[in-house]
Amino acid sequence: MNALSGQARLAGVFGWPIGHSRSPRLHGFWLAEHGIDGAYLPFAVKPENLAGALRALPLLGLRGVNLTLPHKEAALALVDRVTPEARRIGAVNTILVGEGGELEGSNTDGYGFIEHLRASQPRWRPAAGPAVLVGAGGAARAIAVALLDAGVTELRIVNRSRPRALALAAALDARAQAVNWSDRVGALAGAMLLVNSTSLGMTGQPALDLDLTRLPAAAVVDDIVYVPLETPLLAAARARGNPVVDGIGMLLHQARPGFTAWFGIAPAVTPALRDWVLAGP
Ligand SMILES: NC(=O)c1ccc[n+]([C@@H]2O[C@H](COP(=O)([O-])OP(=O)(O)OC[C@H]3O[C@@H](n4cnc5c(N)ncnc54)[C@H](OP(=O)(O)O)[C@@H]3O)[C@@H](O)[C@H]2O)c1
């Protein structure tokens, strides 16, 4: 049993529903690994209660929280300060409570994506060739910002609903362009990175329907879906020899900045952590 003292450091995650979140298991691993006097708790917070729950953080002595669905966008308007990166992404996933009780919102999803991509494929270079991003939802926004910040010279955004792809491209810079869903196979020509940020390929969802014939053999294929870990897209990419990146590492890496700020130790992403989180419900 984990015995907490009266000085225990407290953090957690707000979501609605919250039962599916792997974050308590993830942070719990690091707390135990480092013998920290602290706890990371799941909070079921309804959307209409988000403002009140955030304002209660300093009152209860919590050091901060992660935010998951459906709170990430709403929190932008509810915190006292937003980092420039979170502002550009349009969503907050990490809240830090300052000394005076003020709330700072940041977004670590793009950081988690890039860190995992670089750790998995150290030879990937942002400027090696165009990147194709399939999807234009919340995760895609964070990934698009992270890829452009990393130095990608051309970003092709392919989304089923064209207005969403156009809106995302317009919110970025001239390196980003929207591509029609019907042109997605051709968009792979010359690309050196392909990212699936849609929910396609998840257990219970159809596979992403994308013929990889035009994709160069050296292009990295990255799928952020992690249930299952080996999606049909990754299996097809692996079969034709493309280097692949799975989705679980993004989740693990995005948690590091929050843990470091709340609990005072920079944790590592290790195979043992990965196995622990994957073995969870
Ligand atoms: N690995 C990680 O750490 C991590 C982090 C965040 C999210 N994710 C995963 O990423 C996925 C997307 O999350 P999100 O928050 O970005 O969701 P979201 O905002 O709801 O966006 C969903 C995206 O999937 C597309 N899509 C859904 N069904 C489709 C279909 N039948 N055909 C074509 N496109 C379809 C949507 O296209 P339309 O715009 O046309 O609807 C949209 O681009 C989820 O599976 C989530 O679990 C993983």
Side-chain angles (χ1 to χ4, degrees):
M1 191 165 146
N2 184 14
L4 299 174
S5 80
Q7 277 95 47
R9 296 173 176 227
L10 302 176
V13 55
F14 288 179
W16 184 262
I18 196 60
H20 67 282
S21 174
R22 298 194 186 208
S23 292
R25 194 172 169 87
L26 163 51
H27 286 268
F29 179 96
W30 283 330
L31 287 168
E33 181 180 37
H34 296 285
I36 292 171
D37 181 19
Y40 182 100
L41 303 166
F43 294 98
V45 175
K46 290 182 179 170
E48 60 269 33
N49 293 333
L50 179 62
L54 287 172
R55 286 299 152 199
L57 290 174
L59 306 182
L60 294 170
L62 271 81
R63 290 172 174 253
V65 282
N66 285 126
L67 300 177
T68 185
L69 292 175
H71 300 317
K72 291 183 180 188
E73 285 86 12
L76 268 183
L78 298 174
V79 296
D80 302 304
R81 261 200 328 270
V82 175
T83 63
E85 188 182 21
R87 178 79 59 203
R88 285 166 64 219
I89 293 170
V92 162
N93 78 337
T94 304
I95 306 259
L96 304 186
V97 178
E99 293 287 324
E102 72 282 5
L103 305 179
E104 182 190 86
S106 59
N107 192 309
T108 64
D109 281 333
Y111 164 86
F113 171 81
I114 285 285
E115 286 289 297
H116 180 49
L117 171 56
R118 289 195 194 280
S120 305
Q121 298 295 339
R123 286 192 294 176
W124 175 74
R125 294 285 175 270
V132 176
L133 176 59
V134 185
R141 278 187 91 89
I143 291 168
V145 166
L147 285 173
L148 292 175
D149 286 354
V152 162
T153 50
E154 184 184 338
L155 182 63
R156 302 170 181 166
I157 301 169
V158 184
N159 196 52
R160 174 182 59 177
S161 318
R162 180 166 166 80
R164 227 172 163 191
L166 284 169
L168 177 54
L172 301 166
D173 62 43
R175 291 173 291 166
Q177 56 185 268
V179 176
N180 284 335
W181 187 247
S182 55
D183 297 332
R184 62 193 182 283
V185 172
L188 301 180
M192 289 308 288
L193 176 67
L194 166 64
V195 182
N196 174 41
S197 73
T198 72
S199 42
L200 294 170
M202 255 174 95
T203 302
Q205 294 270 343
L208 172 64
D209 174 18
L210 184 59
D211 176 352
L212 300 181
T213 310
R214 307 276 301 271
L215 187 70
V220 172
V221 178
D222 186 329
D223 198 333
I224 71 162
V225 168
Y226 57 84
V227 182
L229 205 51
E230 179 91 341
T231 60
L233 172 67
L234 290 189
R238 202 188 292 277
R240 64 194 294 280
N242 289 92
V244 299
V245 180
D246 66 38
I248 191 69
M250 174 178 172
L251 178 77
L252 305 181
H253 281 279
Q254 63 76 31
R256 293 177 60 226
F259 188 93
T260 306
W262 302 320
F263 299 113
I265 287 179
V269 170
T270 59
L273 171 72
R274 180 185 164 92
D275 291 347
W276 170 254
V277 172
L278 285 172

